Amino acid sequence: MKAFDYYGKYHFIPKTIEMLLEFETKLSKSGYSLDRELGLIMVKEDIRYMSTPPDVIPFARAGVDGIHYGFLTDFGSVEDLEQAFIVCVSPMDFGDEVWLVAKNIRDFLRVVYSENSILYNHFSDVDSYVRYIENKPREEPDEKKRYVMEKWKETFSLEPIDDMPQYVRDLHTHRKQAIAVSTLNRLGVVQISPVQQHERFDFESADVGDIEMVRSFFSRVSLESKFAFIRDAQAKHCFEDAELRAFVRKELHSIGLVDEARRLELSYT
């Protein structure tokens, strides 16, 4: 299936997304709802908030508080979206709007089936998550939810995640090993260029509103450092400054990241 326009350079949507759309349609025709039963709504347009990273392609939403899920393309460096990390963007979780939820889309489906608290809540560490699920009231799914859950498992041939805390530990370890530059939102930036020396912009002492200072920073640092600046500036809501946003959009254009430049502006319109 051809990609929706907002998938940009990814000319075809992942097979798993195609299957999810078909699954949602079949459920609806049978009187069931992916939204009501699993809290998931597939999207066919670029739902985007100020906290949605420009290298995230949304594919579903939760239906509450603007929460949505998307492929982390790592500034277009991911070749196959089926293998991209999946993030949750929660605009109302001020200061913690973005976090990892799965290693890839297939694992995302397993998380939905197994224990989905991380799809709605940001946990500062695994221990916090463990405490949460230990104290979480046990809910017995009703008949409709049980039916949809089993169809979900059967349709996608899913193996449940037996130990979700360990999965979350492994998820963060895997991501940490992949990143070259850390960022405020903990997504980090993966190594893309041959350059190994990276620098973080000092948002505490430097004036991000001084475009010449930002321009000087961009002129001397690695590609990864520029991407880290973008992650940090967004986390600190600096892109509400139209001049800064225009500068970064131009920089993204200059390195061929046209999709990311468009998405950055879309998040603020």
Side-chain angles (χ1 to χ4, degrees):
M1 182 185 291
K2 186 172 175 51
F4 305 118
D5 289 343
Y6 74 91
Y7 271 65
K9 78 168 194 174
Y10 298 96
H11 300 299
F12 296 91
I13 68 172
K15 180 65 176 177
T16 302
I17 296 299
E18 187 176 343
M19 291 176 66
L20 278 165
L21 291 167
E22 291 173 354
F23 183 78
E24 184 179 46
T25 299
K26 288 179 180 178
L27 277 183
S28 180
K29 288 180 179 179
S30 301
Y32 296 92
S33 167
L34 193 57
D35 177 14
R36 287 194 307 271
E37 274 65 78
L38 295 187
L40 202 63
I41 306 168
M42 300 303 296
V43 299
K44 300 179 182 179
E45 59 184 0
D46 198 355
I47 55 171
R48 192 164 291 276
Y49 292 75
M50 287 190 291
S51 48
T52 309
D55 58 336
V56 165
I57 301 175
F59 63 82
R61 59 188 178 90
V64 294
D65 295 335
I67 295 173
H68 54 287
Y69 312 103
F71 298 100
L72 181 65
T73 72
D74 281 316
F75 292 94
S77 66
V78 171
E79 294 184 6
D80 181 1
L81 290 180
E82 291 278 359
Q83 303 307 318
F85 282 97
I86 305 301
V87 300
C88 172
V89 181
S90 180
M92 300 301 290
D93 276 292
F94 303 114
D96 292 303
E97 293 102 323
V98 187
W99 62 88
L100 292 173
V101 293
K103 294 176 185 175
N104 52 52
I105 185 63
R106 290 283 305 175
D107 271 12
F108 176 82
L109 303 186
R110 296 174 67 210
V111 170
V112 171
Y113 182 83
S114 303
E115 206 294 310
N116 67 0
S117 297
I118 62 171
L119 301 185
Y120 301 92
N121 304 280
H122 176 266
F123 299 99
S124 58
D125 52 46
V126 177
D127 289 340
S128 298
Y129 171 60
V130 171
R131 288 193 296 272
Y132 179 88
I133 59 177
E134 285 179 344
N135 293 299
K136 181 181 177 182
R138 183 175 178 81
E139 296 180 8
E140 289 297 331
D142 59 26
E143 184 178 340
K144 278 193 170 185
K145 183 170 182 177
R146 279 197 298 269
Y147 172 83
V148 172
M149 289 287 278
E150 287 311 306
K151 282 295 182 183
W152 180 265
K153 180 183 178 183
E154 175 188 321
T155 300
F156 298 101
S157 303
L158 300 176
E159 287 293 330
I161 300 173
D162 295 326
D163 189 340
M164 273 297 298
Q166 187 58 49
Y167 177 83
V168 174
R169 287 189 187 93
D170 292 344
L171 171 66
H172 288 283
T173 297
H174 186 51
R175 181 63 185 179
K176 189 175 181 180
Q177 292 171 344
I179 64 174
V181 189
S182 60
T183 57
L184 294 175
N185 61 14
R186 295 191 291 181
L187 293 183
V189 174
V190 301
Q191 187 70 36
I192 298 173
S193 74
V195 180
Q196 298 295 320
Q197 296 290 329
H198 308 301
E199 183 180 342
R200 293 278 298 280
F201 187 85
D202 187 353
F203 283 85
E204 298 305 316
S205 60
D207 182 6
V208 71
D210 184 341
I211 294 299
E212 290 308 312
M213 182 177 289
V214 176
R215 193 188 309 278
S216 174
F217 175 81
F218 269 66
S219 70
R220 70 174 186 270
V221 300
S222 67
L223 189 63
E224 293 80 5
S225 299
K226 294 176 183 180
F227 292 158
F229 174 93
I230 293 171
R231 292 218 192 286
D232 288 346
Q234 187 171 34
K236 294 179 75 66
H237 299 283
C238 297
F239 286 131
E240 293 183 45
D241 183 326
E243 187 179 11
L244 176 64
R245 198 165 68 247
F247 169 78
V248 170
R249 284 179 60 210
K250 186 175 180 180
E251 286 290 320
L252 287 169
H253 268 282
S254 72
I255 54 181
L257 297 181
V258 178
D259 296 331
E260 289 75 8
R262 177 186 58 79
R263 293 178 192 133
L264 179 61
E265 186 60 30
L266 186 60
S267 288
Y268 293 84
T269 56

